[in-house]
Amino acid sequence: MTDTVIRMPAKAAPGEVILVRAMVRHIMESGFRHDNVGKLIPRHIVESFVCTYAGREVFRAKLSSGVTVNPFFQFHLRAVETGDVTFRWVDDRGRVYEAVSRLKVG
Amino acid sequence: MWLLAVRPASATPESLAETLRAVTGGRPVTEGGVTLELPRIADNGNVVPATVKVASAQTPEDHVRVIRILSEQNPVPLVVEMFLGPDVPKAEVATRIRLAKTQRVIALAEMQDGSFRSATMQVEVTISACGDD
């Protein structure tokens, strides 16, 4: 869990628009850099990010090496019901990073 | 054989045009209705905050499906694709991108009806990203 940082309110009024910010700690090695003996450093990046709210997908991203180290996304949700907001990142080596935030509505 | 693994150092306006064509399927892109917020001068190309806002009612019949950020000079022209669910209330997203050098950056919004809108911004990059420096 320490690899992920989620910023969003824990509570919201029905219909309220809330701001969600999600970050994962990741090296995002572009695959275009060379080490000090001139060898290409292999690409190692997060390729996908998915956010769901109460079981429905609300935001998804496909990343390239052009996204920064510690990829960050910010978007909005409409609070409609109490439920889990889940966050899932997958990198190009199959490693999965996950986080869950409970949103209480009402 | 190792030469085959060498990738191009940077995109070109041509490969950007090619990527745009692939993404839009050749459909027309209207300039406007999209705001791309980027620093005019990015001191560090490794971390460039980017916000994209699309003028959209975000109703089931009329909403933004995808927001893409494209680069003219990065090694990979399609920087990021962000897919919004139909009940996302506000067509406004932010992320952080890398810019290899001074260049034009494009925000491309794909609407529910399959139409495309865009905004372009020139960013002056002081310290390049992606390279070996």
Side-chain angles (χ1 to χ4, degrees):
Chain A
M1 290 299 272
T2 55
D3 283 336
T4 63
V5 180
I6 307 299
R7 294 267 185 275
M8 56 171 268
K11 277 192 262 179
E16 192 181 335
V17 174
I18 63 160
L19 180 69
V20 179
R21 307 165 91 192
M23 194 201 83
V24 62
R25 282 183 227 287
H26 198 279
I27 187 169
M28 291 298 281
E29 184 59 58
S30 69
F32 296 104
R33 298 193 317 143
H34 296 82
D35 64 17
N36 53 11
V37 292
K39 212 171 139 246
L40 199 66
I41 305 168
R43 193 180 89 134
H44 184 203
I45 68 165
V46 172
E47 289 184 317
S48 74
F49 167 63
V50 180
C51 174
T52 71
Y53 167 37
R56 285 189 307 275
E57 184 179 302
V58 285
F59 183 91
R60 180 159 54 95
K62 267 177 80 178
L63 292 73
S64 79
S65 53
V67 177
T68 61
V69 64
N70 303 336
F72 163 83
F73 291 103
Q74 175 181 304
F75 50 93
H76 297 81
L77 294 185
R78 187 182 305 281
V80 285
E81 59 182 305
T82 296
D84 284 339
V85 182
T86 73
F87 304 85
R88 183 183 159 94
W89 297 259
V90 184
D91 78 9
D92 53 8
R93 295 178 190 177
R95 176 150 181 212
V96 177
Y97 302 77
E98 283 177 308
V100 182
S101 259
R102 187 83 175 158
L103 179 65
K104 201 170 163 238
V105 178
Chain B
M1 283 308 282
W2 62 270
L3 269 176
L4 293 175
V6 174
R7 283 183 268 187
S10 73
T12 58
E14 292 76 53
S15 67
L16 170 64
E18 219 167 90
T19 305
L20 260 175
R21 260 197 307 280
V23 162
T24 60
R27 273 164 291 172
V29 177
T30 314
E31 185 87 9
V34 180
T35 309
L36 171 59
E37 290 174 5
L38 285 165
R40 257 173 227 294
I41 299 168
D43 287 329
N44 182 357
N46 284 299
V47 185
V48 184
T51 300
V52 183
K53 298 174 184 172
V54 186
S56 162
Q58 291 303 97
T59 59
E61 309 76 41
D62 175 24
H63 62 265
V64 181
R65 263 205 321 230
V66 195
I67 294 173
R68 295 179 175 89
I69 298 178
L70 296 100
S71 144
E72 192 180 47
Q73 298 288 345
N74 276 11
V76 180
L78 185 51
V79 176
V80 64
E81 298 181 274
M82 292 167 281
F83 303 82
L84 307 188
D87 20 73
V88 164
K90 218 169 164 184
E92 183 180 324
V93 296
T95 185
R96 294 193 289 242
I97 63 170
R98 289 170 168 152
L99 293 176
K101 52 178 92 163
T102 294
Q103 59 177 297
R104 283 187 311 149
V105 178
I106 295 174
L108 180 70
E110 180 175 344
M111 308 302 291
Q112 170 67 16
D113 64 4
S115 65
F116 289 89
R117 302 170 185 175
S118 74
T120 306
M121 168 121 188
Q122 173 83 17
V123 182
E124 211 65 49
V125 177
T126 314
I127 300 169
S128 153
C130 304
D132 286 317
D133 25 33

